[in-house]
Every structure is written in structure tokens, then in C-alpha cells.
Amino acid sequence: MPLRRPRYASLAALLRRELIEQEHPATAALVHDLAGVRARGAFTRGEFVRMCRWKSPRAQRLWQANSPARIGTVSRAVLATRSERQRMELLTGLRGVGVPMASAILTLIDPQRYGVLDIRAWQLLFAIRSVTANRRGQGFTIDQWEQYLAALRLHARRLKVSARSVEYTLFECHRKLQRGTLYPPPSTTRTRRRPPGGGRGRALPSGSGRARRRRAAGPG
């Protein structure tokens, strides 16, 4: 997904001109509702569901499968540790929670120190050469999360704002520069000719009913 070329040579230059300090009203309301989580030392399943839905409702079937007991155990461990890597490892151990979702949970609980790692923020950082890997901004690793978090906090300290403000600025700047759709369309499998000498028949498109039934039956 291409971006128009940013007119800023660095993240610092972008933030000097584009910084957004005011939170979106709906997000601010959710952060307010979650204000007691850190003092309590855990979040409930209901709070977990609200945070996941805020980030991405697409994976609802997966994150809804986490039990209240499992969420309670994980959330207590997340809020008890001082290791950012361990926090991310614990959260991504929950069903339906990848690095972006885990970063959103941490952001909603503590926006002063965290920001959401997602495709928009990372692609913009890549475009201004603040990061040099993962151009598409998908399939994030924990190492990339730690690199991203360090950058957010560095600029947040310099500007005396929250890490969320820095991240939200990246998000909105990407939206202004975006061309086309955010995610590339899924690739299609091309039909092949029957191989010389026979064979089991022509290849089936991956989404066809026969192909799905064949995959479900297993190899053979």
C-alpha cells in the first residue's frame, strides 16, 4: 500500500509540525473507564473485550474464547512485571492477541507510557527511514515492538507529551498520506493445466468448495 512521500526528513521534524495532543473523544472515554485497572492490578474479561474490540473487532471469535480466569491470571502477571518483553509475551499468549492488539491493551491502560503498534504507524516510520525493516508493517516481532516503544518514549520525553500522542500523530499523518487501500487484496491462485502424463486433475482455486473439502480431508 503506497504512501505519498512525506515532506519530513525525520520523525522529530514531523512531530514538530504535526503533533496531536488531544485524544479522540471515544478513546478518551474508554481510557477513563479503564483508569482503575493499574491500581487494581488486573483487568476483567469485560474490560479485555472492550479493549480488543477498540483495536480490531475482526478477530472477535478468537479473543472471545479466553476465559475470565485465564484473562485474570494473565492480566495480573502483566501488571506485576517490570519487563516490557514479558508483558508482551504474556499478552500474546492469549488467544487472538498479537503484538498490535497487545500494544493497544497496554496503551488503553497506560497511554502516558505506551502507544499502539500498527500498520499505519510503522509504514510511516519506514517512509521517513526511522525504521529499516518490515516495510509492509505486518507480522510484527517483539523486538520490533521494543524498538518502536523506545522511539515513542524518546520523542514523548523531548516534547513533554504522552507516548500515545506521538503514536496517534503517526496514525493520523499516515491517513493523510495513504493512497489506495490499507491492506493489499488477497492473492488468487491461478488455475494450472493438467500435467502431461495424467495426474489428479487441474489445481483448484484455494477458496473453492472442493479445495476446502480436499484440505479438510488431509493429504493423500
Side-chain angles (χ1 to χ4, degrees), residues 88-158:
M88 187 58 62
E89 289 172 346
L90 286 163
L91 285 169
T92 54
L94 292 168
R95 291 196 65 188
V97 179
V99 171
M101 182 73 79
S103 72
I105 290 170
L106 293 171
T107 300
L108 290 167
I109 293 172
D110 189 357
Q112 190 65 32
R113 300 180 63 245
Y114 294 95
V116 181
L117 174 57
D118 71 355
I119 184 173
R120 290 188 186 275
W122 191 271
Q123 283 187 354
L124 183 55
L125 289 177
F126 189 94
I128 60 177
R129 297 180 177 85
S130 286
V131 297
T132 57
N134 194 359
R135 178 175 187 169
R136 296 175 65 183
Q138 295 176 276
F140 293 110
T141 66
I142 295 180
D143 285 342
Q144 288 168 347
W145 152 247
E146 290 182 319
Q147 177 187 359
Y148 176 74
L149 185 60
L152 292 187
R153 288 177 173 174
L154 172 66
H155 289 279
R157 285 194 301 269
R158 288 176 175 174

Side-chain angles (χ1 to χ4, degrees), residues 37-69:
V37 166
R38 283 190 295 153
R40 197 189 321 138
F43 49 79
T44 66
R45 185 178 185 277
E47 290 166 336
F48 170 75
V49 166
R50 290 184 68 189
M51 291 187 284
C52 291
R53 186 177 291 121
W54 176 84
K55 176 63 179 77
S56 177
R58 291 190 300 272
Q60 178 170 330
R61 181 179 60 84
L62 293 174
W63 44 255
Q64 287 274 21
N66 293 288
S67 69

Side-chain angles (χ1 to χ4, degrees), residues 30 147 165:
L30 180 53
Q147 177 187 359
S165 291

